[in-house]
Structure formats: structure tokens, C-alpha cells
Amino acid sequence: MVRLRAEDRRRMILRAAGDLFIARGFAGVTMEDVIAAAGGSKSTIYQQFSDKTDLFRAAVESLLDERSEPLRTFVPSSADLARTLVELGRDFATVALSPESIALHRLVSAEAERVPGLGEAFFDHGPRAGQRVLGGVLQAAADAGLVAIEDPILAAAQLYQAMLGDVQMRLLTDSPQVPTDEEIERSIAYAVRVFLHGVALRPRE
């Protein structure tokens, strides 16, 4: 029989725990449930995680890291900044607007007050990780003299909200106005255009 390495065992536990927590919520899952789903023994899981809260935080972090992989490995298809930002916006949409990500976001929102450190873990491995990627693109553009940006991380956070904030909120709140693919694409393109070119104030007549 092949013995699993510690990191492989940990990955299996986190995957099983993540699926269970999303399906049942924090209160609806026991450590025994996770052991039954992942295999192994109680001693094995407690060697890795001190309690259910510790496991929950780690499972959320693992899910976020897994889902954000396309962002961390993003490579622009051209040197055109507008095209690059639109492409990255599409990757953000794929990651953040998927049913799995929306379910995870709802779960964290529901449990953040009760689980110490959960909100911080979610932000560090989710929004902040995305802001670093987008901020890096903006910083590179600023270094190349293409744009003037004093705070690329703040600019990244604002650009993300302009691209996807509305459609993401509708999905999170189960709005009957479900955004279409065409609407998401238009929202990303319009946000990038306004971000790069602004809007012109018309003089009063």
C-alpha cells in the first residue's frame, strides 16, 4: 500500500473540508465528517489542525489559492495596456463570479464574525491577492511611462470594483437580474476605458 505524503494528505483533508463547509456551513460540519470524507484517522487530522476553526480557515485559504491560480499565472497577450486590463478583467470574472466562488464568498460573509481570523484570511488570499496582480500590471505601466498612478494597489482595488463590483454583488445577493456574459464583458471593457481615459466635463452653456 502506498503511503501518502504529509502534504498530499493535508491537501486531501482541505479539499474534503472545503466541499463540506460550502455545502453545510461551519456549524453543520464536524471533524468526524471530514475524516469520513477524506479518509485517515482522528490522530492524522489533529496532527495537521488544532481544531475545526483552524481547519476551516485553512480550507478557505486553500480554496482561494486554488481558484486564484489563473490570476497569479496571468501573462498578457500583447503590450497594449487596455487589452491587457480587459484580459485580466476576464480572468477575474472567471475566478470571482463562478458558482463555487460565490458560494465561498457567502460562506465567509456568514461566518466571519464567529470565526476568529477568517475575514483576514479571506481578504489576504482573495481580494488582496488579486489586487497585487492587477497592481503589478499598473505599476509596470507606470514604470514604462504609460500612465501616472501614485498608488497602484488602490487603483487596482477601484478598477476591480468598476469592472465587476455590480455584477458580483447581484450574484452574491441572488438578484433576479442575473448578469449575462455579454453584460460582464461590457462592464469590464467600459470600466477599463473610463479608467484609462476618464470622462470629459462638458462646459455649462
Side-chain angles (χ1 to χ4, degrees):
M1 184 174 63
V2 178
R3 179 180 291 274
L4 288 174
R5 296 180 302 170
E7 58 265 33
D8 293 331
R9 171 61 63 187
R10 179 182 177 86
R11 192 177 302 114
M12 289 180 62
I13 293 171
L14 289 174
R15 163 54 62 188
D19 291 344
L20 287 170
F21 283 128
I22 288 177
R24 304 181 190 175
F26 179 73
V29 177
T30 66
M31 295 293 267
E32 288 72 22
D33 293 332
V34 178
I35 293 168
S41 64
K42 184 176 291 188
S43 62
T44 298
I45 198 169
Y46 279 105
Q47 286 172 2
Q48 302 263 5
F49 309 99
S50 58
D51 54 24
K52 189 172 77 166
T53 298
D54 185 32
L55 174 60
F56 185 42
R57 278 194 306 267
V60 168
E61 291 173 359
S62 179
L63 287 170
L64 289 168
D65 290 343
E66 177 184 320
R67 299 189 194 291
S68 64
E69 180 65 20
L71 299 176
R72 296 196 302 273
T73 58
F74 173 77
V75 178
S77 66
S78 74
D80 181 83
L81 180 57
R83 180 179 298 178
T84 294
L85 294 177
V86 168
E87 289 175 350
L88 190 48
R90 290 171 182 153
D91 279 1
F92 273 113
T94 299
V95 170
L97 305 184
S98 70
E100 297 81 7
S101 292
I102 292 298
L104 179 60
H105 198 148
R106 287 171 174 165
L107 173 64
V108 171
S109 297
E111 304 292 353
E113 289 188 5
R114 291 187 288 272
V115 180
L118 179 61
E120 182 179 2
F122 177 82
F123 190 77
D124 283 343
H125 290 258
R128 183 171 287 149
Q131 289 167 13
R132 291 193 192 101
V133 175
L134 182 51
V137 171
L138 296 177
Q139 182 64 66
D143 293 343
L146 299 176
V147 292
I149 295 177
E150 295 179 1
D151 189 334
I153 298 298
L154 177 60
Q158 294 179 341
L159 177 54
Y160 172 84
Q161 288 300 321
M163 290 192 292
L164 297 174
D166 175 71
V167 294
Q168 186 177 31
M169 183 57 65
R170 276 190 268 161
L171 291 171
L172 286 170
T173 56
D174 201 23
S175 168
Q177 296 179 327
V178 179
T180 64
D181 291 342
E182 292 77 11
E183 187 177 3
I184 294 169
E185 180 72 16
R186 181 174 180 270
S187 180
I188 293 169
Y190 187 77
V192 169
R193 185 163 66 251
V194 172
F195 179 81
L196 292 178
H197 303 291
V199 294
L201 278 176
R202 295 184 182 276
R204 294 183 178 180
E205 297 181 356

